[in-house]
Amino acid sequence: MAVTGSRHRFRGARRTTTVTAVSSFHAIIPAGGAGTRLWPLSRRARPKFLLDLEGTGRTLIQQTWDRMLPLTGTERIHVVSGADHGSAIAAQLPELVNLLLEPSPRDSMPAIGLAAAIIERADPDAIVGSFAADHRIPDPDRFVEAVREAIAVAEEGYIVTIGIEPTEPSTAFGYIAAGDALDGFASARAVRSFVEKPDEDTARGYLASGDHVWNAGMFVARASVLLDSLARFQPELAAGLRAIAATWGTPAFVAELGRTWPTLTKIAIDHAVAEPVAAEGGMAVVPAPFGWDDLGDFASIAPLGSSPDVLWVDADGVARGREGVQIAVLGLRNVAVVQTDDAVLVLDLAQSQRVKDVVALLKDAGRDDLL
Amino acid sequence: MAVTGSRHRFRGARRTTTVTAVSSFHAIIPAGGAGTRLWPLSRRARPKFLLDLEGTGRTLIQQTWDRMLPLTGTERIHVVSGADHGSAIAAQLPELVNLLLEPSPRDSMPAIGLAAAIIERADPDAIVGSFAADHRIPDPDRFVEAVREAIAVAEEGYIVTIGIEPTEPSTAFGYIAAGDALDGFASARAVRSFVEKPDEDTARGYLASGDHVWNAGMFVARASVLLDSLARFQPELAAGLRAIAATWGTPAFVAELGRTWPTLTKIAIDHAVAEPVAAEGGMAVVPAPFGWDDLGDFASIAPLGSSPDVLWVDADGVARGREGVQIAVLGLRNVAVVQTDDAVLVLDLAQSQRVKDVVALLKDAGRDDLL
């Protein structure tokens, strides 16, 4: 990972819409997640972020790259992924400069934190933003606008999350309870708290309140603020990450990574930093009205449409098949039909979340070839 | 078609269970039918009778051959099929001697009648029996026993049908109303009438009566009786068939077949002969208790079981896939999932009869490659 930091401070970008890249801003793209609820499309060796689920010709990680590029240029995008996926990512993102491969998965805080620690060493005042590799955002312009505001808020020392204004009472996402507006910003508000996936009644209340946004796992902060916060709540983890980062670019890096990485606490950035910092009043949220989906299951990809050559006879749902294969569905409503070279999955879309159970059963049966 | 007739009269086989073949008995196997309700397993080029739906290693026409062999030997089995299927049939039945290929499909009476007319020329007293190529009979011994009785009854001048004793009030089959027992036979009865597929209440009444059996389309008669009967009800058709048969084995056959065949009335043997002869009192039925199915749709093949490697999670039904393909079904009851190289069909088994609509839509869409 070649870190190209800059001591140039970001100032007032929110008032200068002609600025294309924000010179102190680095995007960190953690590319992980088994995506077992999209089996058999997604596999261990072909996780969701490597798929073109919309048929646009760009995979999800490529779309993520495309979204970040106006804010960063190619030099300040950092992808963090498992060692297994290095070559596939490099093939999909030929312009990628900064690819950091984890020796083993340790959840999002170590992944994002290591990239942030490496960026911090080159430029402690750099702003970092982490954005999952496998989300869908149909309106990149509004996304960029929200990130620009988040960067400006992060300049003030906040850890900032971008919260998606809900369009329905979803029970599939966690929520962020927003508090008072922050002075001097178009949309930013304090974060009161992070709340887990609600039941349906609660979700309806959130939607009606106007004070709750979806937690899309997007975090923007000064690198030093992020790591200093982590040092207060998870001191060993922060120290480990900074120790590894200190060897970056030296011959000692591989050995230090190999020694220290396996000792790091497995923890999500939400629990490690976002929730405790929110409790202290140090989190801000930029509520954003752009369309967003984490494409977590077949129900969520159903609106994206089916493959060509699907015949529905008194039937509906979503069907994805191999090229040149005719899929026909007769007399079944709200189903998904998914075909790959080695598997066919048919399900009631209302049970989309349970596809992971199918994968678990295949694993139990020793069918590692299908995972 | 080499007809190997014999003037040796069959006598008393019903009292001689050690007899293996019945020397004057010829089996006619009409191998036709699009089988569109089993799409995509069955295709124009690969009709149902060429399929091994049970996974036994023997296709339906091979099983039909196996069932007839104890009664006929290889020399007196006659397969009548479309010209398209000649090579596939020859490949599946390497011992087949008598293969008659129709220039075009003209329903069952011309197909069976031409074979019968050719057999009649070699031996007017020969008994012929017609048995579809695509039915399933799990207990061939009981089948053979019923055919032996039908042959004996046919010797008396009757046209004899074998009727299947119903095990449920099926609305998928036509029925035969049986009348008085015939003297001197174990089971044979006069036929009162043939009745169309009933509604469910009527079917329940039939089942309760004990006087109705399923019409399995199995007809046994002396060749001359069959053709003489046809000559009374469809004189031109009988004359045409006998004219073609008269040229069998001569250089004139191909030209005569090409000239006369297209002029023959398209009609089923049921309407051409069985129903009018029944009305005259000349039809007999041998009610038989053997298991039988015409495997007409996916609901009927469901009890035969699924391919290996099917995973049902809160789901049931039948699934047939390509070898080495994992099928998984989640949260759907009573469904069929059928995969071939070029198609995947998923359906509610309760709507199995409507698979032909899917095929019709594909035809309308110009997808002849899939038919």
Side-chain angles (χ1 to χ4, degrees):
Chain A
M1 188 160 85
V3 175
T4 57
S6 161
R7 296 265 162 190
H8 177 76
R9 288 282 180 94
F10 167 78
R11 289 191 198 288
R14 71 184 184 277
R15 286 179 292 269
T16 315
T17 55
T18 54
V19 168
T20 52
V22 182
S23 61
S24 69
F25 178 66
H26 292 250
I28 300 170
I29 302 175
T36 52
R37 282 170 299 187
L38 290 179
W39 183 91
L41 292 183
S42 64
R43 304 293 179 95
R44 276 183 185 162
R46 197 174 64 223
K48 189 177 65 167
F49 62 80
L50 293 174
L51 304 179
D52 173 14
L53 291 170
E54 296 153 275
T56 59
R58 296 292 280 171
T59 67
L60 290 170
I61 198 171
Q62 287 175 323
Q63 291 184 39
T64 306
W65 169 274
D66 296 344
R67 277 198 297 275
M68 300 320 304
L69 211 53
L71 288 159
T72 60
T74 58
E75 302 282 317
R76 292 200 309 280
I77 298 180
H78 308 256
V79 174
V80 190
S81 190
D84 294 355
H85 305 310
S87 57
I89 290 171
Q92 290 200 359
L93 300 177
E95 292 182 89
L96 177 66
V97 179
N98 306 308
L99 176 59
L100 191 58
L101 298 178
E102 307 165 282
S104 60
R106 303 206 74 75
D107 215 328
S108 60
M109 188 69 249
I112 295 165
L114 180 58
I118 289 173
I119 294 164
E120 181 195 30
R121 279 191 68 81
D123 177 6
D125 291 330
I127 305 289
V128 297
S130 79
F131 304 92
D134 56 3
H135 291 179
R136 177 173 173 266
I137 297 176
D139 185 347
D141 291 343
R142 299 186 92 162
F143 167 77
V144 164
E145 202 176 305
V147 177
R148 285 186 189 282
E149 179 165 343
I151 291 168
V153 178
E155 285 283 332
E156 307 292 324
Y158 287 98
I159 299 179
V160 190
T161 184
I162 296 170
I164 315 298
E165 293 177 2
T167 52
E168 48 169 350
S170 173
T171 60
F173 306 128
Y175 284 72
I176 298 162
D180 295 338
L182 298 190
D183 283 346
F185 296 98
S187 315
R189 300 170 68 174
V191 170
R192 281 195 288 126
S193 63
F194 288 83
V195 287
E196 295 294 313
K197 295 178 187 181
D199 61 27
E200 201 161 317
D201 278 351
T202 309
R204 282 184 208 286
Y206 289 168
L207 184 62
S209 77
D211 283 338
H212 287 77
V213 291
W214 289 333
N215 179 3
M218 301 174 182
F219 296 100
V220 179
R222 199 175 285 144
S224 57
V225 169
L226 183 70
L227 286 153
D228 289 346
S229 301
L230 183 66
R232 283 184 291 123
F233 302 111
Q234 300 278 340
E236 286 182 29
L237 177 50
L241 293 171
R242 280 171 160 161
I244 299 170
T247 66
W248 176 253
T250 77
F253 178 74
V254 174
E256 179 62 31
L257 183 70
R259 183 167 51 241
T260 303
W261 185 264
T263 71
L264 301 179
T265 303
K266 276 190 184 180
I267 187 169
I269 189 171
D270 302 68
H271 305 314
V273 167
E275 291 163 9
V277 171
E280 293 181 338
M283 284 287 308
V285 57
V286 174
F290 55 78
W292 167 84
D293 202 312
D294 73 347
L295 302 175
D297 59 25
F298 285 111
S300 71
I301 75 163
L304 306 182
S306 294
S307 306
D309 278 350
V310 178
L311 186 61
W312 302 94
V313 181
D314 284 349
D316 53 49
V318 59
R320 299 293 181 103
R322 290 162 59 231
E323 202 176 317
V325 168
Q326 174 72 51
I327 296 180
V329 186
L330 168 63
L332 294 166
R333 297 290 175 186
N334 200 39
V335 294
V337 179
V338 187
Q339 183 209 23
T340 63
D341 286 345
D342 56 359
V344 177
L345 172 69
V346 182
L347 69 141
D348 176 0
L349 273 173
Q351 303 201 27
S352 295
Q353 291 280 318
R354 294 185 61 202
V355 172
K356 63 184 189 304
D357 299 348
V358 172
V359 177
L361 287 165
L362 292 171
K363 190 176 179 191
D364 290 349
R367 294 301 305 274
D368 282 27
D369 57 311
L370 290 168
L371 303 183
Chain B
M1 186 159 87
V3 175
T4 57
S6 161
R7 297 263 162 192
H8 177 76
R9 287 281 181 96
F10 167 77
R11 290 192 197 287
R14 69 185 185 278
R15 288 179 289 271
T16 316
T17 56
T18 55
V19 168
T20 53
V22 182
S23 62
S24 70
F25 178 66
H26 293 249
I28 300 170
I29 301 175
T36 51
R37 281 170 299 187
L38 290 178
W39 183 90
L41 293 183
S42 65
R43 303 293 179 96
R44 276 184 187 161
R46 197 173 65 223
K48 187 175 67 166
F49 61 81
L50 293 174
L51 304 179
D52 173 15
L53 291 171
E54 295 152 278
T56 58
R58 296 292 279 171
T59 67
L60 289 170
I61 197 170
Q62 287 175 323
Q63 292 184 40
T64 306
W65 170 274
D66 297 344
R67 277 197 298 277
M68 301 320 305
L69 211 53
L71 289 159
T72 60
T74 59
E75 303 282 317
R76 292 199 309 281
I77 298 180
H78 308 256
V79 175
V80 191
S81 191
D84 294 353
H85 305 310
S87 57
I89 291 170
Q92 291 200 359
L93 301 177
E95 293 181 90
L96 176 66
V97 179
N98 306 309
L99 175 59
L100 191 57
L101 299 178
E102 307 164 281
S104 60
R106 303 205 74 76
D107 215 327
S108 61
M109 187 69 248
I112 296 164
L114 179 58
I118 289 172
I119 295 164
E120 180 194 31
R121 280 191 67 83
D123 177 4
D125 291 330
I127 305 289
V128 298
S130 78
F131 304 91
D134 55 3
H135 291 180
R136 177 172 174 266
I137 297 174
D139 185 346
D141 290 344
R142 300 186 92 161
F143 167 77
V144 164
E145 202 176 302
V147 177
R148 287 188 187 282
E149 179 164 343
I151 292 167
V153 178
E155 284 283 333
E156 305 294 323
Y158 287 99
I159 299 178
V160 190
T161 184
I162 296 171
I164 315 298
E165 293 178 0
T167 52
E168 48 169 349
S170 173
T171 59
F173 306 130
Y175 284 72
I176 298 161
D180 295 338
L182 297 190
D183 284 348
F185 297 98
S187 315
R189 300 168 69 173
V191 169
R192 282 196 287 124
S193 64
F194 288 82
V195 287
E196 295 293 315
K197 296 179 185 179
D199 62 27
E200 201 161 317
D201 278 353
T202 309
R204 284 184 205 287
Y206 289 168
L207 184 63
S209 78
D211 282 339
H212 288 77
V213 291
W214 289 333
N215 178 5
M218 300 175 182
F219 296 100
V220 179
R222 199 175 287 139
S224 57
V225 169
L226 183 69
L227 286 152
D228 289 347
S229 301
L230 183 65
R232 283 184 290 120
F233 303 111
Q234 299 279 340
E236 287 182 27
L237 176 51
L241 292 170
R242 280 171 160 159
I244 299 170
T247 66
W248 177 251
T250 77
F253 178 74
V254 173
E256 179 63 30
L257 183 69
R259 184 168 50 243
T260 303
W261 185 263
T263 72
L264 301 179
T265 302
K266 276 191 185 180
I267 188 168
I269 189 171
D270 301 68
H271 305 315
V273 167
E275 291 163 10
V277 171
E280 293 181 338
M283 283 287 309
V285 57
V286 175
F290 55 78
W292 167 83
D293 202 311
D294 74 347
L295 302 176
D297 58 25
F298 285 111
S300 71
I301 74 164
L304 306 181
S306 294
S307 306
D309 278 349
V310 179
L311 185 61
W312 302 94
V313 181
D314 284 349
D316 54 47
V318 60
R320 299 294 181 100
R322 291 163 58 229
E323 202 177 316
V325 168
Q326 173 72 51
I327 296 179
V329 186
L330 168 63
L332 293 166
R333 299 288 175 188
N334 200 40
V335 294
V337 179
V338 187
Q339 184 209 22
T340 63
D341 286 345
D342 56 359
V344 177
L345 173 68
V346 182
L347 67 142
D348 176 1
L349 273 172
Q351 304 202 27
S352 294
Q353 291 280 319
R354 295 185 61 202
V355 172
K356 64 182 188 305
D357 299 348
V358 172
V359 177
L361 286 167
L362 291 171
K363 191 175 178 193
D364 290 348
R367 294 300 306 272
D368 282 28
D369 57 311
L370 290 168
L371 303 183

